[in-house]
Amino acid sequence: MRLNLVTVLSVLAPLAAASPLDLLGLAAWDVEGFAKDNPIGTTTGGKGGATVTVTNAAEFSAAVAGDAPKVVLVKGEIAFPARPKIGSNKSIIGVGSTAHITNKGLDVFNSTNVIIRNLKISFIQDNDCITIRNSTRVWVDHNEFASDITKGPDFFDGQVDIIRGSDYVTVSWNYFHDHWKSSLVGNDATFRDIDSGHLHISYHHNYWRNMGTRGPAGRFGHQHIYNNLYVDFHYQAIHSRSDNQVLVEGNVFRGDTREALSTYGLVIPDDSPNTCTCGDEELDGFANLGAKNDWGTAGVNITQVGNFKKAPYKFKLTPLVLVAPLVKLGAGVGKI
Ligand SMILES: *[C@@H]1O[C@H](CO)[C@@H](O)[C@H](O)[C@H]1NC(C)=O
Ligand SMILES: *[C@@H]1O[C@H](CO)[C@@H](O)[C@H](O)[C@H]1NC(C)=O
Ligand SMILES: *[C@@H]1O[C@H](CO)[C@@H](O)[C@H](O)[C@H]1NC(C)=O
Ligand SMILES: *[C@@H]1O[C@H](CO)[C@@H](O)[C@H](O)[C@H]1NC(C)=O
């Protein structure tokens, strides 16, 4: 019998208190990247605060309000009638594989130090699954985001949108699937002054499958995008425009993925045909390539090489050959 990595890890999983991935040193399981290493402090969420368990929208909204540190455990499915606003110093953590948010998504507005882990968020109406706006130190980890890609680009909105001068965010080990627009960073070319110098975001070990655009799409910021797996990301995965900078390394692209990375200012018609069927022209962005990526058959379209050559922190880079099995094994809910 030939033991592959997946078999080895699944045998080790129940034995290890921490993740077997941590054990083997192949990838970070705890917070890593801009939400950890930044000038204003590591993201700790509700650490040190009371722990409360919530099972409905009213309990959830009450528990996440205000700035007192709190760990909020979420049990079962909650169909929100309105978007809850998550205050500072909160950890929102799903219990087992039960936590499922539908109908309305979550707002992190004017907050700092927020952790969102182990939630399934699907079929959100009229807005994003999570909007992070004017907020700092947010860790979005081990969640699952899904809807229905056959409804086209504008039926559902984004999955994790990060806007209005937000900073020091890490988006890790999430499973994004069956959805058109994934993650928009900087939502409007008119917010140049508010966004420039902010929007430092790390994306690592996310699994994107059967998606349309924005994996992520950034304006005005810096995104370090490493060790993600893209399968059937149909139109455009990583898009850097309006002077945005991306550092792209150790990612794997598979299946029907037209464009892995582009710095053209053009917002392709497949992204926002509601604005103009010809697309929407902005300034180009910048891209740097670090450790080798596996582009598969996807295109790479870099018009400007930037100066974001190296992450300003230490991180564990998974060997390229192990990215696909590791991400498939570790991403999504029920893993932490
Ligand atoms: C919680 O967040 C606020 C920001 O709104 C911060 O000023 C404060 O120090 C934090 N409180 C605790 C107890 O960590
Ligand atoms: C965020 O701050 C802005 C500006 O001070 C304010 O208008 C808005 O109501 C705040 N939002 C929340 C959810 O606190
Ligand atoms: C951003 O949030 C801070 C509180 O953290 C608030 O004082 C400020 O007014 C907000 N700015 C905007 C543009 O919403
Ligand atoms: C690069 O992107 C532009 C704009 O989307 C497109 O017109 C062009 O065909 C692309 N070039 C390559 C080589 O993919």
Short mmCIF file of all heavy atoms in Angstrom, two decimals, residues 8 15 19 66 81 84 89-90 105 148 156 197 206 218 227 248 265 271 273 298 311 328 330 332:
data_model
loop_
_atom_site.label_atom_id
_atom_site.label_comp_id
_atom_site.label_asym_id
_atom_site.label_seq_id
_atom_site.Cartn_x
_atom_site.Cartn_y
_atom_site.Cartn_z
N VAL A 8 -1.82 9.86 5.59
CA VAL A 8 -0.99 10.08 6.77
C VAL A 8 -1.63 11.12 7.68
O VAL A 8 -1.76 10.92 8.88
CB VAL A 8 0.44 10.54 6.36
CG1 VAL A 8 1.23 10.97 7.59
CG2 VAL A 8 1.16 9.42 5.64
N LEU A 15 -5.07 12.05 16.74
CA LEU A 15 -4.03 11.89 17.77
C LEU A 15 -3.48 13.23 18.24
O LEU A 15 -3.01 13.35 19.36
CB LEU A 15 -2.86 11.06 17.21
CG LEU A 15 -3.21 9.71 16.61
CD1 LEU A 15 -1.96 9.07 16.01
CD2 LEU A 15 -3.79 8.81 17.70
N SER A 19 -3.40 20.93 15.20
CA SER A 19 -3.63 20.33 13.90
C SER A 19 -2.43 19.50 13.47
O SER A 19 -1.30 19.84 13.75
CB SER A 19 -3.86 21.43 12.89
OG SER A 19 -3.46 20.98 11.63
N GLY A 66 -21.05 45.94 20.93
CA GLY A 66 -20.16 46.57 21.91
C GLY A 66 -18.71 46.13 21.76
O GLY A 66 -18.38 45.33 20.89
N PRO A 81 -32.71 38.11 9.96
CA PRO A 81 -33.64 39.04 9.33
C PRO A 81 -32.95 40.35 8.93
O PRO A 81 -33.42 41.06 8.07
CB PRO A 81 -34.68 39.31 10.44
CG PRO A 81 -33.97 39.03 11.73
CD PRO A 81 -32.90 38.01 11.42
N PRO A 84 -26.24 41.55 11.36
CA PRO A 84 -25.68 41.93 12.65
C PRO A 84 -24.38 42.71 12.47
O PRO A 84 -23.63 42.47 11.53
CB PRO A 84 -25.39 40.59 13.34
CG PRO A 84 -25.81 39.53 12.42
CD PRO A 84 -26.15 40.11 11.10
N ASN A 89 -13.14 43.30 19.51
CA ASN A 89 -12.72 42.31 20.51
C ASN A 89 -13.69 41.12 20.61
O ASN A 89 -14.15 40.77 21.70
CB ASN A 89 -12.56 42.96 21.90
CG ASN A 89 -11.78 44.25 21.85
OD1 ASN A 89 -10.71 44.30 21.23
ND2 ASN A 89 -12.30 45.30 22.45
N LYS A 90 -14.01 40.55 19.49
CA LYS A 90 -14.95 39.42 19.47
C LYS A 90 -14.34 38.23 18.71
O LYS A 90 -13.71 38.42 17.66
CB LYS A 90 -16.24 39.81 18.74
CG LYS A 90 -17.04 40.93 19.39
CD LYS A 90 -17.65 40.52 20.71
CE LYS A 90 -18.47 41.64 21.33
NZ LYS A 90 -17.66 42.83 21.66
N GLY A 105 -26.03 38.55 5.83
CA GLY A 105 -24.65 38.29 6.26
C GLY A 105 -24.20 39.19 7.40
O GLY A 105 -25.01 39.84 8.06
N ASP A 148 -24.99 29.91 -5.60
CA ASP A 148 -25.36 29.26 -6.84
C ASP A 148 -24.80 30.09 -8.00
O ASP A 148 -25.31 31.17 -8.29
CB ASP A 148 -26.90 29.19 -6.90
CG ASP A 148 -27.39 28.54 -8.18
OD1 ASP A 148 -26.56 28.18 -9.05
OD2 ASP A 148 -28.62 28.41 -8.32
N PHE A 156 -26.10 37.30 -6.57
CA PHE A 156 -25.54 37.37 -5.21
C PHE A 156 -24.40 38.37 -5.24
O PHE A 156 -23.82 38.65 -6.28
CB PHE A 156 -25.02 36.00 -4.77
CG PHE A 156 -26.11 34.97 -4.62
CD1 PHE A 156 -26.31 34.01 -5.58
CD2 PHE A 156 -26.95 34.99 -3.51
CE1 PHE A 156 -27.32 33.06 -5.45
CE2 PHE A 156 -27.96 34.05 -3.37
CZ PHE A 156 -28.15 33.08 -4.34
N GLY A 197 -2.72 53.14 1.15
CA GLY A 197 -1.90 52.95 2.36
C GLY A 197 -2.51 51.96 3.33
O GLY A 197 -1.91 51.66 4.36
N ASN A 206 -6.69 29.05 1.15
CA ASN A 206 -8.12 29.02 0.80
C ASN A 206 -8.32 28.11 -0.38
O ASN A 206 -7.45 27.96 -1.24
CB ASN A 206 -8.59 30.43 0.45
CG ASN A 206 -8.48 31.38 1.63
OD1 ASN A 206 -9.22 31.25 2.60
ND2 ASN A 206 -7.52 32.31 1.57
N GLY A 218 -8.29 43.50 -6.05
CA GLY A 218 -7.89 44.58 -5.15
C GLY A 218 -7.66 45.91 -5.82
O GLY A 218 -7.21 45.97 -6.97
N ASN A 227 -0.26 30.01 -1.33
CA ASN A 227 -0.72 28.64 -1.02
C ASN A 227 -2.22 28.46 -1.10
O ASN A 227 -2.82 27.70 -0.31
CB ASN A 227 -0.23 28.22 0.38
CG ASN A 227 1.25 27.93 0.46
OD1 ASN A 227 1.84 28.02 1.53
ND2 ASN A 227 1.87 27.56 -0.65
N VAL A 248 2.23 37.24 -5.17
CA VAL A 248 1.53 35.99 -5.47
C VAL A 248 2.54 34.85 -5.47
O VAL A 248 3.47 34.84 -6.28
CB VAL A 248 0.86 36.11 -6.86
CG1 VAL A 248 0.12 34.84 -7.23
CG2 VAL A 248 -0.12 37.30 -6.87
N GLY A 265 -6.19 47.22 -15.81
CA GLY A 265 -7.19 48.03 -15.11
C GLY A 265 -8.60 47.66 -15.51
O GLY A 265 -9.54 47.90 -14.76
N ASP A 271 -17.23 40.29 -14.98
CA ASP A 271 -17.32 40.66 -13.57
C ASP A 271 -18.55 41.52 -13.28
O ASP A 271 -19.31 41.24 -12.36
CB ASP A 271 -16.05 41.40 -13.15
CG ASP A 271 -16.04 41.71 -11.67
OD1 ASP A 271 -16.61 42.74 -11.27
OD2 ASP A 271 -15.46 40.92 -10.91
N PRO A 273 -21.21 43.13 -15.66
CA PRO A 273 -21.89 43.55 -16.89
C PRO A 273 -23.00 44.57 -16.63
O PRO A 273 -23.47 45.21 -17.56
CB PRO A 273 -22.47 42.23 -17.42
CG PRO A 273 -22.54 41.33 -16.24
CD PRO A 273 -21.43 41.74 -15.33
N ALA A 298 -4.06 28.20 -16.91
CA ALA A 298 -4.61 29.55 -16.78
C ALA A 298 -3.62 30.61 -17.29
O ALA A 298 -2.41 30.42 -17.23
CB ALA A 298 -4.95 29.84 -15.32
N ALA A 311 7.01 39.36 1.83
CA ALA A 311 6.08 39.60 2.94
C ALA A 311 6.85 40.20 4.12
O ALA A 311 7.96 39.77 4.40
CB ALA A 311 5.43 38.29 3.37
N LYS A 328 -7.26 20.98 0.36
CA LYS A 328 -8.52 20.21 0.30
C LYS A 328 -8.82 19.56 1.64
O LYS A 328 -9.97 19.46 2.06
CB LYS A 328 -8.44 19.13 -0.78
CG LYS A 328 -8.68 19.67 -2.17
CD LYS A 328 -8.74 18.54 -3.19
CE LYS A 328 -8.88 19.09 -4.58
NZ LYS A 328 -8.64 18.06 -5.61
N GLY A 330 -7.68 20.62 4.68
CA GLY A 330 -7.76 21.50 5.83
C GLY A 330 -8.78 22.62 5.74
O GLY A 330 -9.16 23.19 6.76
N GLY A 332 -12.26 24.88 5.20
CA GLY A 332 -13.69 24.77 5.44
C GLY A 332 -14.04 24.50 6.89
O GLY A 332 -13.18 24.58 7.78
#
